[in-house]
Amino acid sequence: MLSSSIINTLASFSPAEWMGMPKNYSVHGDTVGHMIDVVTWLMIALFVGWTLFFLISLFKFWHKKNPTASYHGVENHVSTHLEIGVVVIEAVLLLGFAFPLWAERTNDYADVKGQNPVRVRAIGNQFAWNFHYAGTDKKFGFIDRTLAKVKGDPCLDPTDPYGYDDFTSSTLKIPVGRPVILQVTSTDVIHNFSIIPMRIQQDAIPGKDIPMWFIPKEEMITSVVCGQLCGSDHANMKAMMEVISQKDFNDFLNKESKKSLKLKGHDK
Ligand SMILES: [Cu+2]
């Protein structure tokens, strides 16, 4: 009884969260969190093991006790067995945890596209994020990357009517409980769009719109950061993300779309 309760306590303990990883807020996030925890346990074991080995070596091969060097080296095979053990654990992590998780994510993407997802383009630039919304018509205007004039430019073709109500925001606002597909891109160098509380990140590559998706479970406010060293001010490359109610999200869309139509002179 006691041993099973100890095992249960250990299994529910998250070393990654203990070391500062924020709580999970996405539907798929617990499986990713579990994998991060298993990897963290392995790293803790390796850290403790290597530290002990270092300390034992310091004392065992102390100069005073061993005035002449040994030319035979290690004769037993403990280190070989340990190395094989680590390789086996790493193979299990990759084949047993990472691959199935990745397969699940890519398989589910087809279903998510049919579940009325919210689509937003996340545009990285040195050193900020810009979020491009399709507006109330839910259709993005034609994107022509040769039109890029400023940092984080959504590169909208001004002659495409689908783009008239498109707008951009420096805060990422998304509704709770609905799949979100973010199309991640960049207008300069490679960045990485990283939402730690949603347990997801994706490289932002100039010239490509790469989708990443998740379903936020609760209303919350957090910061989204750049996860790829991208220049001198990389550490300050962050933006706010707000998970809000569907009603608040609709109000936000309507208000910003109207503003955009007015600004571009298409509000008649
Ligand atoms: Cu960056």
Side-chain angles (χ1 to χ4, degrees):
M1 279 303 115
L2 185 68
S3 64
S4 73
S5 77
I6 291 173
I7 290 170
N8 283 339
T9 316
L10 266 183
S12 63
F13 173 72
S14 163
E17 285 185 22
W18 180 73
M19 283 190 241
M21 187 167 74
K23 178 184 154 204
N24 166 48
Y25 283 89
S26 75
V27 170
H28 77 277
D30 283 333
T31 50
V32 179
H34 179 243
M35 204 181 83
I36 294 173
D37 279 333
V38 176
V39 172
T40 309
W41 278 123
L42 175 64
M43 292 303 125
I44 290 171
L46 288 178
F47 174 74
V48 171
W50 280 114
T51 307
L52 283 177
F53 175 73
F54 175 65
L55 294 175
I56 290 168
S57 300
L58 277 185
F59 287 100
K60 197 167 165 164
F61 303 108
W62 201 268
H63 170 68
K64 271 186 192 158
K65 277 203 294 181
N66 305 276
T68 48
S70 159
Y71 295 100
H72 305 293
V74 181
E75 274 159 6
N76 66 42
H77 294 287
V78 175
S79 66
T80 314
H81 297 314
L82 283 173
E83 287 290 343
I84 291 171
V86 171
V87 169
V88 168
I89 294 173
E90 284 174 355
V92 169
L93 279 175
L94 188 65
L95 302 173
F97 288 85
F99 279 15
L101 181 58
W102 184 248
E104 198 184 302
R105 294 283 300 160
T106 45
N107 288 344
D108 287 354
Y109 183 55
D111 299 334
V112 163
K113 282 193 282 188
Q115 292 166 12
N116 186 25
V118 180
R119 282 181 189 265
V120 186
R121 295 180 70 227
I123 307 159
N125 57 93
Q126 286 173 316
F127 296 93
W129 293 100
N130 195 17
F131 302 103
H132 173 189
Y133 287 81
T136 39
D137 68 353
K138 295 185 179 173
K139 288 193 170 74
F140 286 104
F142 186 73
I143 290 151
D144 178 357
R145 292 178 202 276
T146 62
L147 296 173
K149 284 192 201 79
V150 290
K151 288 176 170 197
D153 198 327
C155 304
L156 268 181
D157 178 349
T159 61
D160 182 6
Y162 283 134
Y164 290 171
D165 66 346
D166 287 23
F167 63 90
T168 62
S169 164
S170 59
T171 300
L172 175 59
K173 296 194 187 199
I174 50 174
V176 69
R178 247 177 88 188
V180 182
I181 299 179
L182 298 176
Q183 299 282 144
V184 182
T185 187
S186 164
T187 54
D188 41 41
V189 300
I190 296 176
H191 300 276
N192 176 288
F193 193 64
S194 183
I195 317 175
I196 312 295
M198 299 294 165
R199 303 285 188 268
I200 193 149
Q201 56 181 186
Q202 169 62 52
D203 272 356
I205 299 176
K208 289 190 167 193
D209 269 40
I210 306 174
M212 70 189 247
W213 68 272
F214 58 94
I215 305 171
K217 288 197 290 192
E218 296 172 38
E219 292 181 27
M220 55 100 71
I221 295 177
T222 186
S223 49
V224 288
V225 294
C226 179
Q228 181 77 265
L229 187 58
C230 61
S232 60
D233 214 15
H234 159 73
N236 291 319
M237 185 170 165
K238 53 189 178 221
M240 293 310 291
M241 181 178 94
E242 293 177 18
V243 180
I244 53 183
S245 69
Q246 183 63 52
K247 189 196 162 291
D248 288 351
F249 181 70
N250 292 344
D251 292 346
F252 164 71
L253 270 193
N254 291 336
K255 196 177 128 219
E256 295 298 323
S257 285
K258 253 189 213 144
K259 241 203 257 175
S260 179
L261 285 169
K262 202 170 170 191
L263 203 74
K264 293 171 190 163
H266 296 294
D267 55 335
K268 273 123 216 143

